[in-house]
């Protein structure tokens, strides 16, 4: 197998994988990803895509249901990405039974900020960031193509889904709906102190 291909090796035994890593040339992101799984640590360090299902969501569900109750750590450093897959992860985080800490290493932008908000109402989840972390809330963007009717239908659906996301964020952050709507129309960049103030994180921690 090509050890740089996550899709080809996701089903391999973890001990076998780590042994393979010790005996071959493998990229750092692949090595730390699988080493992290062994240590009950998950990294979200790329743009959010459909790959999140097997690299983050499924491992997280397995850890939460393995019966050990051992703490889980999720590191975030992402510019954002596709909202539909990202919200699937948010739903999983909302329902975690295992003590879990979400830590922002650098940036939690766009969909990354929505993922960070997911633990706000779950007492099993703690969210932290470094003093230099950055967050971003905005309305996002999407390119729509197709027939005139298809474009209109998708635009109509997007408006409906935006309402769902607005309610999601307002229910978890220290914003009124009017305040949130006014902010997301712009690029609302946040320092660590800003993220703490609006409720995106529970604490600023210099020790990650």
């Amino acid at each position: 197998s090509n050890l740089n291909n996550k899709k080809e090796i996701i089903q391999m035994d973890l001990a076998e994988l780590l042994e393979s890593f010790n005996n071959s040339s493998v990229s750092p992101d692949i090595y730390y990803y699988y080493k992290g799984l062994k240590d009950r640590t998950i990294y979200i360090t790329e743009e959010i895509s459909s790959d999140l299902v097997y690299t983050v969501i499924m491992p997280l569900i397995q850890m939460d249901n393995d019966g050990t109750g051992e703490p889980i750590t999720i590191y975030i450093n992402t510019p954002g990405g596709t909202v539909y897959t990202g919200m699937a992860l948010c739903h999983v985080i909302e329902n975690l039974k295992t003590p879990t800490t979400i830590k922002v290493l650098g940036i939690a932008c766009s969909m990354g900020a929505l993922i960070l908000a997911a633990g706000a109402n779950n007492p099993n989840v703690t969210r932290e960031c470094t003093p230099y972390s950055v967050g971003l809330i905005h309305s996002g963007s999407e390119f729509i193509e197709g027939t005139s009717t298809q474009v209109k239908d998708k635009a109509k659906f997007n408006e409906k889904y935006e309402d769902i996301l607005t309610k999601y964020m307002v229910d978890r952050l220290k914003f009124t709906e009017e305040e949130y709507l006014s902010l997301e129309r712009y690029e609302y960049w946040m320092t660590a102190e800003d993220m703490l103030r609006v409720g995106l994180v529970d604490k600023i921690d210099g020790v990650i």
Side-chain angles (χ1 to χ4, degrees):
S1 293
N2 175 7
L3 291 179
N4 286 299
N5 190 328
K6 292 178 185 176
K7 291 183 178 179
E8 289 184 6
I9 62 179
I10 192 67
Q11 297 299 328
M12 292 177 65
D13 177 76
L14 186 55
E16 180 185 353
L17 277 171
L18 292 176
E19 180 63 27
S20 297
F21 293 159
N22 291 331
N23 296 314
S24 65
S25 176
V26 63
S27 62
D29 61 324
I30 298 293
Y31 175 80
Y32 282 107
Y33 171 75
Y34 283 101
K35 185 178 184 301
L37 292 186
K38 182 181 179 183
D39 299 332
R40 299 178 69 78
T41 299
I42 294 174
Y43 298 96
I44 305 174
T45 58
E46 299 174 347
E47 185 172 332
I48 305 300
S49 70
S50 59
D51 289 352
L52 199 76
V53 172
Y54 64 83
T55 59
V56 176
I57 295 176
M58 295 312 300
L60 182 58
I61 290 174
Q62 290 173 358
M63 290 178 190
D64 191 42
N65 290 283
D66 65 5
T68 67
E70 295 181 9
I72 300 167
T73 303
I74 302 172
Y75 285 103
I76 293 181
N77 185 49
T78 178
T82 179
V83 69
Y84 306 128
T85 306
M87 290 309 296
L89 173 59
C90 291
H91 180 71
V92 172
I93 293 173
E94 295 275 76
N95 292 279
L96 288 173
K97 306 177 293 296
T98 305
T100 302
T101 303
I102 303 175
K103 300 185 177 187
V104 183
L105 284 174
I107 57 174
C109 296
S110 192
M111 187 62 236
L114 273 73
I115 293 171
L116 191 57
N121 296 331
N122 185 341
N124 298 315
V125 176
T126 302
R127 301 155 305 145
E128 305 175 359
C129 70
T130 74
Y132 307 104
S133 297
V134 173
L136 168 65
I137 293 174
H138 64 179
S139 60
S141 62
E142 181 177 6
F143 174 72
I144 305 174
E145 62 179 348
T147 66
S148 175
T149 301
Q150 289 171 335
V151 170
K152 289 177 182 177
D153 288 345
K154 189 59 188 341
K156 191 178 200 178
F157 173 79
N158 284 352
E159 289 184 11
K160 184 186 295 186
Y161 204 78
E162 280 290 334
D163 290 342
I164 293 173
L165 296 181
T166 295
K167 184 177 187 309
Y168 167 85
M169 291 296 270
V170 170
D171 286 348
R172 289 157 182 78
L173 303 183
K174 299 171 184 177
F175 287 129
T176 65
E177 183 173 345
E178 292 73 21
E179 289 171 334
Y180 179 75
L181 287 173
S182 67
L183 289 174
E184 74 154 357
R185 293 293 179 263
Y186 304 94
E187 299 284 294
Y188 183 58
W189 290 93
M190 294 169 285
T191 64
E193 291 290 345
D194 293 330
M195 287 193 283
L196 181 64
R197 175 175 52 81
V198 304
L200 262 181
V201 295
D202 303 304
K203 61 186 292 191
I204 300 171
D205 195 342
V207 181
I208 293 295

